Amino acid sequence: MSRSARTVIARATGATVAVSRLWPGRADRLIIAPHDLRTADATRAAEIYAGRFVFAGKIVTCHGRSIFDLEPPSEDWEVALLGFGWLRHLRAADTALTRANARSLVDDWISNPARKRPLERRPDVLARRVISLLSQAPLVLGDTDGKFYRKYLRGLTREIRYLRYAMFDIVDGVPRLQVLIALCYASLCLANQARHIRAATRRLSDELQRQIMPDGGHISRNPGALVELLSDLLPLRQTFAARNIAPPPALLNAIDRMMPMLRFFRHGDGSFALFNGMSNAPSDLVATLLAYDDTHGVPMANMPHTGFQRLDAGGTTVIIDTGPPPPPNVSQEAHAGCLSFELSSGVSRIVVNCGMPSTGRDNWRTFARSTMAHSTLTYHDTSSCQFVELSAMKRLLQGAPIVSGPSNVESYREAVADGDLLTTSHDGYVARFGILHRRVLMISQDGGRLDGEDTVSPAPGSRAKGDTDFALRFHLHPAVKASRLSDARGVMLVLPNRDVWSFEALDDKVDLEDSVFLAGNDGPRRTAQIVIRQDSRHATSVRWSFVRSTTSAAGTNARRTARREPELPL
């Protein structure tokens, strides 16, 4: 290959890389390579060259053997290896050595198609691998000859064929979209695929219309789905343009709807609210995605189709889950967090849900999905949703979907004299306990105060039955330092920037207990939770408030006794 051809590949940025000119006249050739928006780290190229593969918090060293023949330390690690996303780190280094290393590893994979690895044909892993091999083709093919090029194309074509067959056995939701996105890429990037472009585009369009809600949320109600999908849909839009093919309207409309939803779930520090399987999102990737948003607008307050509300005032943000669980077929990762909320002030998160770890999820999945892992009311330590529990059913359904939960979740929002008032309720406890949970939140106009009231009451037409104990939980972010006040009716909260907030529940005893924050960048971290326990036979409601101090931490306790509590408009 000529030096000028290599220069074209090395310097190519933006949507796509033209590669067909490197091997003119071939009928089976790669025309373009889509852009990979995911962040690359050139320093990891040296680790891979040295035979150290670090994925999902686990390290495997080759010691001269093929990495594909070694026993994976975890499923997450194997998914990362077989997805080939790590090729982007080698491309970021952009040296002859890393190009040769990439070519050697890919050659090792495609030269041994008889390998039997448990996850290699899983549709979402296969889709990720096809997209990676397409987008990183300039890296692998940059210094090669026609023989390896043809071998690469044969291997890639084989993977695409497997992917088409995978459509018959695939989990609904994000994995299905990922497969359709990968097939759309394949039809656009390879020559002589015109007959597949229309079919792939139509199937992707239909699935986007089904899975992306009118307000831009994903049908799974997981904010992380937006990050994953936009990371592939944005380059796909550019790939259509590079082929001089008009992107399908469903693709353009989906992106336009998803972008505002991406902003909706963000706190002031750029992190995402932890609902329905959300873990930590890479801040650099999110910043890249948001750079494609032309509106740069203020997040909307209400997402009625996906089922979330947002209160913003004076730098304070509250994000509330006000929707029922997603349909069972896309609820394998959904949580029982109805009416839970997260609270942040500026760039400091205060109240959070526990979230889901990015790796080792199986160890935490049961707890993370429970209502107790969310900042809301739990009746008799029972989740508001019920999950499939039989192991045989989990294997059959490829997960543990929700089988019952709130079916009627109401929310009513209004502007009042002192701020914004949100009234919500759900019926997730009616079937077992005959109880409705009602939560009222009011944020002051300056954002310095959030008042709440949680009530349990018999559902209309039914009577309370069984146990009567309930608990309110407010999980705190690990960066918040919490100290229970001496009167056991409140907690002082010191944020990383030294701002002081106080939690108050003057009519109830307040406990400070251990909790865990699962969605940290460095894995699960110990934190604290504010807990109020009550019995519905003695009290059916609990009133509480978070108040920002206007001066110093020392004055907080004195002011709390002198301040007159505002009445919540009911």
Side-chain angles (χ1 to χ4, degrees), residues 28-60:
D28 51 343
R29 67 187 189 279
L30 187 64
I31 301 174
I32 53 176
H35 189 42
D36 188 351
L37 294 183
R38 290 171 174 82
T39 306
D41 181 0
T43 62
R44 296 188 60 182
E47 293 181 343
I48 294 173
Y49 180 74
R52 292 190 299 272
F53 290 78
V54 184
F55 307 131
K58 304 289 185 180
I59 303 176
V60 173

Side-chain angles (χ1 to χ4, degrees), residues 195-211:
R195 66 187 186 279
H196 293 298
I197 293 177
R198 179 176 297 180
T201 300
R202 184 180 66 253
R203 296 172 72 181
L204 176 61
S205 296
D206 292 344
E207 200 64 27
L208 285 172
Q209 290 174 333
R210 186 180 72 89
Q211 291 198 31

Side-chain angles (χ1 to χ4, degrees), residues 440-522:
V440 181
L441 301 175
M442 188 176 76
I443 191 170
S444 63
Q445 290 180 342
D446 65 356
R449 185 181 186 98
L450 176 68
D451 290 286
E453 182 173 15
D454 286 274
T455 304
V456 292
S457 59
S462 65
R463 52 183 296 181
K465 53 188 176 183
D467 298 282
T468 57
D469 59 297
F470 65 92
L472 277 178
R473 289 182 170 84
F474 305 90
H475 296 273
L476 302 176
H477 190 270
V480 175
K481 295 181 179 179
S483 304
R484 196 168 75 143
L485 301 181
S486 58
D487 62 2
R489 294 291 186 269
V491 177
M492 186 174 73
L493 307 171
V494 182
L495 309 188
N497 63 358
R498 311 307 298 171
D499 280 355
V500 176
W501 285 67
S502 62
F503 174 85
E504 304 169 345
L506 297 182
D507 298 327
D508 295 274
K509 180 185 175 183
V510 177
D511 291 317
L512 199 59
E513 302 179 1
D514 288 338
S515 181
V516 61
F517 181 69
L518 298 175
N521 292 327
D522 50 357

Side-chain angles (χ1 to χ4, degrees), residues 274-298:
L274 302 173
F275 297 107
N276 292 304
M278 181 68 202
S279 185
N280 61 303
S283 57
D284 43 8
L285 174 59
V286 173
T288 299
L289 297 178
L290 290 174
Y292 285 82
D293 184 6
D294 296 329
T295 62
H296 301 287
V298 175

Side-chain angles (χ1 to χ4, degrees), residues 197-348:
I197 293 177
R198 179 176 297 180
T201 300
R202 184 180 66 253
R203 296 172 72 181
L204 176 61
S205 296
D206 292 344
E207 200 64 27
L208 285 172
Q209 290 174 333
R210 186 180 72 89
Q211 291 198 31
I212 305 303
M213 308 292 280
D215 56 18
H218 185 256
I219 193 173
S220 68
R221 307 187 69 241
N222 182 351
L226 302 177
V227 179
E228 280 298 310
L229 293 174
L230 283 170
S231 298
D232 291 325
L233 291 176
L234 288 168
L236 180 60
R237 181 179 65 180
Q238 295 175 307
T239 305
F240 273 102
R243 287 295 311 274
N244 292 318
I245 300 173
L251 171 61
L252 301 178
N253 292 338
I255 292 173
D256 288 343
R257 295 197 308 273
M258 293 165 74
M259 279 298 189
M261 197 65 169
L262 201 65
R263 293 187 182 276
F264 175 92
F265 283 117
R266 294 184 84 208
H267 287 288
D269 64 347
S271 62
F272 279 70
L274 302 173
F275 297 107
N276 292 304
M278 181 68 202
S279 185
N280 61 303
S283 57
D284 43 8
L285 174 59
V286 173
T288 299
L289 297 178
L290 290 174
Y292 285 82
D293 184 6
D294 296 329
T295 62
H296 301 287
V298 175
M300 290 182 283
N302 180 19
M303 294 299 185
H305 299 93
T306 310
F308 291 94
Q309 296 271 352
R310 179 181 175 113
L311 303 173
D312 282 298
T316 300
T317 295
V318 185
I319 306 173
I320 314 103
D321 182 344
T322 57
N329 55 308
V330 289
S331 66
Q332 284 86 354
E333 299 293 334
H335 290 188
C338 193
L339 304 194
S340 64
F341 75 91
E342 294 199 348
L343 166 69
S344 60
S345 174
V347 297
S348 299

Side-chain angles (χ1 to χ4, degrees), residues 96 135 138 147 158 180 228 250 260 269 278 358 422 489 512 546:
S135 60
K147 181 179 179 180
R158 182 178 66 236
L180 292 173
E228 280 298 310
D269 64 347
M278 181 68 202
S358 56
L422 179 65
R489 294 291 186 269
L512 199 59
F546 285 90

